[in-house]
Amino acid sequence: MEEPELGGNVFNLCPMRGRYSTSSACGEEREARFSVTDGGGSVGYGVASHREPCVTSGYDTLDAPPRYEFYSNTEAAGRRRFRPSLFQLYAHQEDDGSPPPLYEGPAAGEDQGPTAGPEDEEKADQPQAEPTRFGWVQGVMIRCMLNIWGVILYLRLPWITAQAGIGLTWVIILISSCITGCTGLSVSAIATNGKVKGGGTYFLISRSLGPELGGSIGLIFAFANAVAVAMHTVGFAETVQELMQDHGASMVDRTNDIRIIGVITVTCLLAISMAGMEWESKAQVLFFLVIMVSFASYFVGTVIPATPEKQAKGFFSYRADIFAENFVPRWQGPQGNFFGMFSIFFPSATGILAGANISGDLKDPNMAIPRGTLFAIFWTTVSYLLISATIGSCVLRDASGFINDTVSGPDAGDCLGLGCQYGWNFSECISNSTCPFGISNYYQSMSMVSAFGPLITAGIFGATLSSALACLVSAPKVFQCLCKDNLYPLIGFFGKDYGKNNEPYRAYLLAYVIAICFILIAELNTIAPIISNFFLCSYALINFSCFHASITNSPGWRPSFRFFSKWASLLCALVAVIIMFLLNWWAALIAIGIVVFLLGYVLYKKPSVNWGSSVQAGAYNMALSHCVSLNQVDDHIKNYRPQCLVLTGPPALRPALVDLVGTFTKSLSLMMCGNVVSECSSPDAVNSACDNSYIAWLNQRRIKSFYHSVAAEDLRSGVQMLLQGAGLGRMRPNILVMGFKKNWKTDRASCMDSYIGILHDAFDHQYGVCVLRMKDGLDTSRQMQAHTNLAYEALSEQTETPSQPPISVSCPEASGVPPQTPTVFQTKQEKKTIDVYWLSDDGGLTLLIPYLLTRKKRWAKCKVRVFVGGDIQHMEERRNEVMGLINKFRLGFHDVQVLPDIDESPQPENVKRFEDLIAPYRVNTINKSEDLETAGLKDYPWEVSNTEMERNKAKSHRQIRLNEVLCDYSREAALIVVTLPVGRRGVCPSALYMAWLETLSRNLRPPVLLIRGNQQNVLTFYCQ
């Protein structure tokens, strides 16, 4: 392909280095590259072809067909492809010497150097080692079932059945399953709304509700899983210790034996976990098989005819009368009530998130998590229902266990209990409540019923160890994702991953240490309710996440799993919170307190993450709804707020202007920083390159302001666009705030005329106007030498030394956020004065802004002095009149001073100085006809004729005299507020008006704020 010559126009296309696809009719994909020679002044374009499936196209084009890689955030086989940018599609690069703006940046770590050679491309094409991934059965369903089944299944479910009866036990199981099932539906919806990475529950909540709630839940959920490791391990150790005690074996004593066994057990589990997910998954399958064998042994045992020894313990195989007897409840003990049994059983229904917690190790999380979780809930629910029904149909509530307690002779009439019908007399232990056997008293009833008792013990071992192993894997996986997000300090060390599976070995060791600490306690009855509440808190937030994402109607909420209801999710979230307090109210308060504390920390730190959470969607909906509702109510003076459009250019260049306006608009009204860009190739390029850095600058400075930039041919055109288009509905600016044009005498006259034209445009659009002048100027670009807006630089404060090199636009990618420059408006003002010269009534804006300033802490100690003009003979009357008006406005100003000498003639030397100031813009109209003069002024509207000078002489002298008064009264003020004079269009030339503003505000040390309202009332003393 020929290389187009650009002559001397050499431009850098380094941001474009990379490849994008081109499609053609010949059925191949071409990888196009741009390259630039630094010295040759030419651009080379090369094409490398390789075979791809044919793409039908009628002409050669850079347009690429839809590809997965264009939407993926990850690299495939060492490279990442990007669609061509809009600029590359429509621009003619031979005619445009500016670098094209790229909407797609290079992937992280992508080579920015020379084009890779064939060897490098061949190496990149080699597939990387694929980590171990699991399907929905082994990765989710079996893992969740093992984590749901636990010690309660074997040791407490028969006892709960005896207390609540078969009927209410089924109610307890079904309510628990409804809660976990609804949570499973919510998890399925969230997990199928986009690609799920590692991090499990934390990832799902944080990416749905945002980092605030997600971070707090992630931390306590990881900690709860680590403590749950200790809880399940101690349950295993207690069972082993009881077996040792039955055989007369002991190492030290009961407590220390549990500690020793627990430490050894958790160490073995740690070794299995750190060996890799593949070995851990094999161990889980082994535990699952052991539990299945124990279940088979139990169900076979229920149909085997009972031996006399088992009958003495209350087992008689399936009997209808036993089922009828055990179907109704019989409460016993302090926990003998429905909610007491529910609080004991519900922890056995948790564990449904075990599969989601290893989402990063699944082949297809979007399919595996819904299918595996819901199947696990279904089968575990079925197992609970069957075991409670079968054990309640086979075993009596009370039995003595003595082989000689049979019914014989005359004792048959005094026999108590259902055992009498089967030839057994348990009356003595029943009447004394001392029966050691039966499902009401014997926790090992399933072992007794089982065809081979040791298999139930093996099932207990499998259930406890599998739950401990699942928690030991879940806690580090969740914690690793939390560490990588850097939401909390001092935890990033544990986020490092190792090996092809990205195993968090450091997090494994941390979870191991936490588990050891709680195992050494050897008594977790106090900690267990807190763990259950942490899990319930997670369930509540998952359901609320699903509800919140659905209720916001965000277009990004498109879960492929459709079988869920947002209202059911909300109901389950509320039920989960209620159950937290029913289980243990103080544990629920502790869990909620920790969540609130961690939530407050993240809200305070404001991490710079953006995950597209439903909270953001909800905030948008609320803002949109409130903005629309404002349109239904007409404006009222009592609700007037100064909503300011501030012409800052890049805000970092005029920090004093930003700080002043931000002071009286903060938490009160709208502030919008406007920027006009006139010398850039594309408005999209400027917005995408520079907006974010200045928004970050405003956020760092704690200025609550919007930032809006427009591209226009000149400054005045851009400001006209801002005046007409800024804002939304009632949230529109009503005041234009700008800086004083300090260099108007040395700048081009057309720029000065454009500046004055902006003031006229503001008045045309019914804006109030504020002009701020500082003694040392507003523009700080001389110190920064960066982040400069060329339009503002050319039209507002050009340097007076032409030899100085121009300041170039700097983008945030190159220089980051602009530096923070301190200003006088950031410091606390001591007991100074704010002098308000209310010389013309503009509707009250001149008084309102000083009042708003005094409401802020920095200006609270300042005293406001109001100066008005008046006749020396009626000074007191004038003062009382103005004072009464201010009192009716309830502004709290108590110092009103009348200036009787304001209408005196100015000093001759000051008049001479003013005439010298305007002299360069004077024109000699002698011997000129009126038509010629009018034509000349039309072409040069800034020129001042003798006629205009004479016509505006009184106003000119008034500005000179007012400056003398300001110098006399307000040299030590913190701020001077003066009514802005208005120059009549077509009568007052722009140079003359600019001279008025210069004369009025010169030679003053304090900042001068010139204010002119739009002549509409902004203050009222009426209540309606």
Side-chain angles (χ1 to χ4, degrees), residues 728-859:
L728 178 66
R730 300 285 185 185
M731 302 292 292
R732 298 178 62 86
N734 51 29
I735 297 176
L736 178 68
V737 184
M738 56 194 304
F740 178 76
K741 186 172 179 60
K742 187 178 180 182
N743 67 326
W744 68 278
K745 292 175 289 185
T746 58
D747 200 359
R748 298 192 304 272
S750 59
C751 294
M752 179 263 295
D753 183 69
S754 177
Y755 178 85
I756 300 300
I758 291 174
L759 299 180
H760 291 305
D761 294 338
F763 292 139
D764 288 340
H765 291 90
Q766 293 297 303
Y767 274 69
V769 174
C770 296
V771 178
L772 177 65
R773 181 173 186 179
M774 305 283 291
K775 181 180 179 180
D776 297 327
L778 294 172
D779 197 340
T780 61
S781 61
R782 299 301 170 268
Q783 292 79 26
M784 295 172 57
Q785 292 292 301
H787 301 277
T788 301
N789 184 321
L790 297 181
Y792 276 84
E793 194 63 23
L795 293 176
S796 64
E797 295 184 13
Q798 283 186 336
T799 176
E800 297 183 8
T801 57
S803 60
Q804 182 176 350
I807 302 173
S808 60
V809 174
S810 177
C811 293
E813 291 79 8
S815 56
V817 179
Q820 299 289 344
T821 305
T823 67
V824 66
F825 299 112
Q826 288 183 307
T827 60
K828 188 175 182 179
Q829 306 295 325
E830 299 301 330
K831 294 183 179 181
K832 297 181 181 180
T833 62
I834 300 177
D835 291 349
V836 180
Y837 289 83
W838 195 21
L839 305 177
S840 301
D841 194 339
D842 59 350
L845 185 63
T846 307
L847 292 180
L848 180 61
I849 290 181
Y851 166 73
L852 296 177
L853 284 174
T854 57
R855 293 175 57 182
K856 303 301 180 180
K857 188 176 180 180
R858 293 174 185 168
W859 297 82

Side-chain angles (χ1 to χ4, degrees), residues 534-616:
F534 283 163
F535 285 126
L536 278 170
C537 193
S538 301
Y539 294 167
L541 280 176
I542 287 176
N543 283 292
F544 182 75
S545 300
C546 182
F547 165 76
H548 196 267
S550 301
I551 203 68
T552 54
N553 293 322
S554 173
W557 176 248
R558 302 185 303 274
S560 57
F561 183 85
R562 301 291 184 179
F563 305 100
F564 71 97
S565 170
K566 58 184 177 183
W567 301 113
S569 298
L570 177 62
L571 178 62
C572 284
L574 296 176
V575 171
V577 174
I578 294 173
I579 292 176
M580 289 174 61
F581 286 91
L582 291 178
L583 295 180
N584 194 314
W585 65 268
W586 58 265
L589 290 179
I590 291 176
I592 294 176
I594 294 176
V595 172
V596 171
F597 173 78
L598 297 174
L599 170 65
Y601 176 82
V602 178
L603 287 174
Y604 173 77
K605 295 298 291 184
K606 292 183 175 61
S608 56
V609 295
N610 184 8
W611 296 326
S613 66
S614 62
V615 173
Q616 296 173 339

